[in-house]
Amino acid sequence: MEIVSAFGVYFAILGVIGFFAYKRSRQSTDFALGSRSLSYWVTALAAHASDMSGWLFMAFPAAIYAHGLIEAWTAVGLVFFMFLNWKLMAPRLRILTEKYNSTTLSSFLESHFNDTSGAIRIVSALFCLLFFTFYISANFVVLGHLFESIFNISYTTGILIGSFVVFYILLGGYLSIAWVDFFQGSFLLFMIVLVPLVGFLHIGSISAITQSAAAKNISLTFMPDTMHHFFEILLLAFGWGLGYFGQPQILTKFMGIQDVNKLAKAQRIGLAWQTITLIAAICVGLIGIAFFATDG
């Protein structure tokens, strides 16, 4: 009953945020870009939280749990390229989209390249539609498995319940997405730190991790054993991080900040959030090796 209540409160908060965002959206620019009214706090957490959700809690710790600390190179690549994203993309994108009066990435690209045929707008929009179909589908898969494992309900029913997220997006547009991402970012930070702390109290010591890892033949070494392996890991880290330069859910948060001069503050807050949550997720995976010592 407590778990059901917790989920109920969580979804109620999303609905309230969507409602208040709807009340503030009085014209198309409000719905599409929130009239560039985001504070640097909201921009920071919303930009980062929109990138990490089910992956942070499930996929990344699972990779550490299955393959060891070598998977932490993924986190290094993500933090490095997100830093470059803040430095190289954020200020230019914020300034130029206001200059062209663009509220979407497609309209910005069209104006920036002075395209009068409409081809750039159409092609870029189709690419966003294509890749977001896979992105959103992956999140629905996570929700389906989450509800299936916690409430013992069917996978399909879990997805239908999770589709509630579409409601607040349609209700409040950009502002609802940004504020929900801010709320979820705050919630994720608290929970992803709390989970390994509780888990560590259960296993009792670091030696429990090392012993379980040795029994399962899982390496806890961060550095690759050969140069060939090192380049493989480096390529993997770069592959994850390079995607940041083209993720609309992140780039549009840069576009919506109220004051371009506050981007430096948003960058520091966002990178601190990302670093803490990724380290905590690594700890979740490592503690899981000992927590489920009899598995595998």
Side-chain angles (χ1 to χ4, degrees), residues 118 151 161 209 272:
F151 299 115
I161 296 173
I209 300 174

Side-chain angles (χ1 to χ4, degrees), residues 41 88 156 231 248 252 276 294:
W41 274 98
L88 302 178
T156 303
F231 283 115
T252 52
I276 294 170
T294 58

Side-chain angles (χ1 to χ4, degrees), residues 225 243 280:
D225 51 0

Side-chain angles (χ1 to χ4, degrees), residues 9-26:
V9 171
Y10 184 83
F11 281 116
I13 291 173
L14 298 188
V16 169
I17 292 174
F19 174 76
F20 280 103
Y22 166 75
K23 297 292 288 185
R24 287 187 57 183
S25 299
R26 303 184 182 279

Side-chain angles (χ1 to χ4, degrees), residues 4-180:
V4 175
S5 300
F7 271 92
V9 171
Y10 184 83
F11 281 116
I13 291 173
L14 298 188
V16 169
I17 292 174
F19 174 76
F20 280 103
Y22 166 75
K23 297 292 288 185
R24 287 187 57 183
S25 299
R26 303 184 182 279
Q27 51 190 354
S28 60
T29 54
D30 293 329
F31 190 86
L33 202 58
S35 295
R36 292 187 172 87
S37 60
L38 300 186
S39 68
Y40 62 88
W41 274 98
V42 176
T43 300
L45 266 66
H48 284 265
S50 63
D51 168 55
M52 298 181 181
S53 51
W55 178 85
L56 183 68
F57 258 103
M58 298 176 69
F60 187 46
I64 299 292
Y65 172 81
H67 304 292
L69 198 55
I70 198 72
E71 292 289 338
W73 279 96
T74 299
V76 175
L78 291 176
V79 173
F80 175 71
F81 279 98
M82 193 60 186
F83 169 77
L84 293 182
N85 207 15
W86 280 107
K87 284 294 185 183
L88 302 178
M89 296 291 289
R92 291 173 174 82
L93 197 58
R94 173 60 178 82
I95 292 170
L96 290 176
T97 52
E98 184 173 29
K99 173 184 175 181
Y100 298 133
N101 195 29
S102 301
T103 56
T104 66
L105 288 172
S106 296
S107 61
F108 161 68
L109 292 173
E110 182 181 60
S111 299
H112 186 64
F113 292 103
N114 195 28
D115 176 46
T116 57
S117 67
I120 290 180
R121 180 191 289 258
I122 293 172
V123 171
S124 60
L126 287 175
F127 269 108
C128 286
L129 178 62
L130 173 64
F131 289 109
F132 263 101
T133 298
F134 293 106
Y135 174 78
I136 294 171
S137 298
N139 281 278
F140 277 132
V141 168
V142 170
L143 287 170
H145 286 302
L146 178 67
F147 281 103
E148 186 179 37
S149 61
I150 293 178
F151 299 115
N152 197 29
I153 61 178
S154 72
Y155 171 75
T156 303
T157 303
I159 290 179
L160 291 175
I161 296 173
S163 64
F164 171 80
V165 70
V166 177
F167 168 73
Y168 76 76
I169 292 175
L170 294 177
L171 188 65
Y174 179 88
L175 283 176
S176 67
I177 295 172
W179 277 98
V180 163

